[in-house]
Amino acid sequence: MTRVPLPASKISIYPRHRIIFSSGMFIVTDVHEIFKPNDTPTITYVDRSDLKLEENLSYGLKLKNMVISISGPSKTGKTVLVNKIVDYNLVIPIVGSGIKESGELWDRVLQWMSVPNTYNETHLQNTEIGGSATVSGSGGIPTVASISGGGGINVKNSDSHTISKTYNYGGLPRVIREIADSDFIIFIDDFHYIKKEIQEEIGRDIKIAAEKGVKILTASVPHKSEDVVRSNPELRGRVFAIDIGKWTKEHLNEIIDKGFNALNCKIDSLTKIKIINESLNSPQLTQTICLNLCRNIGVNSTKDNFEEINVTDETLSSSLLDTTQFTNFSKLLTSLHSGPKTRGSERKVYDFSDGKKGDVYRTILLAIQKNPISSFFSYHDITDRVRSICSDEFPSGSSITQCLEQMKIIAEQVQPSHQVLDWDGDTLTIVDPYFLFFLRCSEKMNHLGISNS
């Protein structure tokens, strides 16, 4: 939200912005200032006061020598919460993925601060050899070691040269020296992406840093929320945990209502329900869908007169399809659909109730895609859905289990630095709601070349 101080007697309308007078300030209400998927929202910010998230984070930041751990599903506002409470200029953002050793974490912190982690020491050295000397040994160039007292050769030489050495002065000690007991906060996002083999060492470093007064905040998904403590058991009792929880339909509805109220219009209840369902508990998806819907219904800024808008199914479908451009998982979905390369006989093909055919990989993707919408599937949920898709014979339990194991491997290979789905042998979890949204709302599955015969 951009505030422009202007005289109360003036109202200006710009091509892309509608300016409304409010409390001595004019508020720019362009639609992009209202629905903000990739920025901290202002007009459509929902604090979810019933969870006391802002209060808990503010309290945690005041605790001495304490690490703060924020957990919540992917794309549900962990970073937005931090940016709402902490001055953006004081947050040192570090992403867990890609960190290969503990020292790299602290080097990234120093890079953000533009603090070098090495220094050079240079000095000039003069060497002078003089006096009368005799050369012992036979032939060759006289050296310092071969010169002894006495007459013979008169040597007097002066040499000046520069000696330069590079010293390492980085890592955790330098970070402690630079920001201990300051207002700066190291925000380690996606801590669970750090490789298990180095989490233990990083856990020890985090404990030392916190004890020295460095403020550290981590973020992770719920089923990995204890990774920080598990990395170093001595951190137990030193971690202040904040669970941001799932967004309820009421909270997502509040985003929609706040946004369209600011645009001086209202959309029908059925459309709101559909948007909320397809948002998969993600406020970011809600923001993106609403932004695309506004483009399709021609609402670019606050309307002069209040209007109730009934959105057609076609318009909403177009808006959902447009939103998939922000959640493109084409490569991953294609790889999951193909499965690993087969050796020997081809995979068994099953007949579907819609007259189409497909192997076990397509069958499971269709099972995940179908209603009712869910991000968590037990083994029995998957098998029940698979049976409902197939018109006759369906994949065996062992075939389904093997397929899910391979899907997890494929997802890790295609997107090694970002977890999309997880299968633990009992439960399939779609970690990234953007992937599930793409699977449900894009046309990719229809374009993967399955025969109708």
Side-chain angles (χ1 to χ4, degrees), residues 116-164:
N117 55 13
T118 60
Y119 75 93
N120 293 323
E121 183 180 275
T122 304
H123 62 272
L124 190 66
Q125 179 172 311
N126 294 316
T127 302
E128 182 173 302
I129 302 175
S132 178
T134 60
V135 181
S136 61
S138 60
I141 302 174
T143 64
V144 176
S146 65
I147 296 175
S148 58
I153 300 175
N154 186 22
V155 178
K156 188 173 185 180
N157 186 31
S158 178
D159 180 35
S160 296
H161 60 279
T162 300
I163 296 178
S164 179

Side-chain angles (χ1 to χ4, degrees), residues 412-439:
E412 291 173 346
Q413 291 174 341
V414 176
Q415 298 206 202
S417 62
H418 178 71
Q419 188 177 33
V420 175
L421 59 84
D422 184 47
W423 166 251
D424 62 6
D426 295 310
T427 304
L428 173 67
T429 304
I430 308 301
V431 179
D432 192 329
Y434 279 12
F435 170 72
L436 182 54
F437 178 84
F438 184 80
L439 174 63

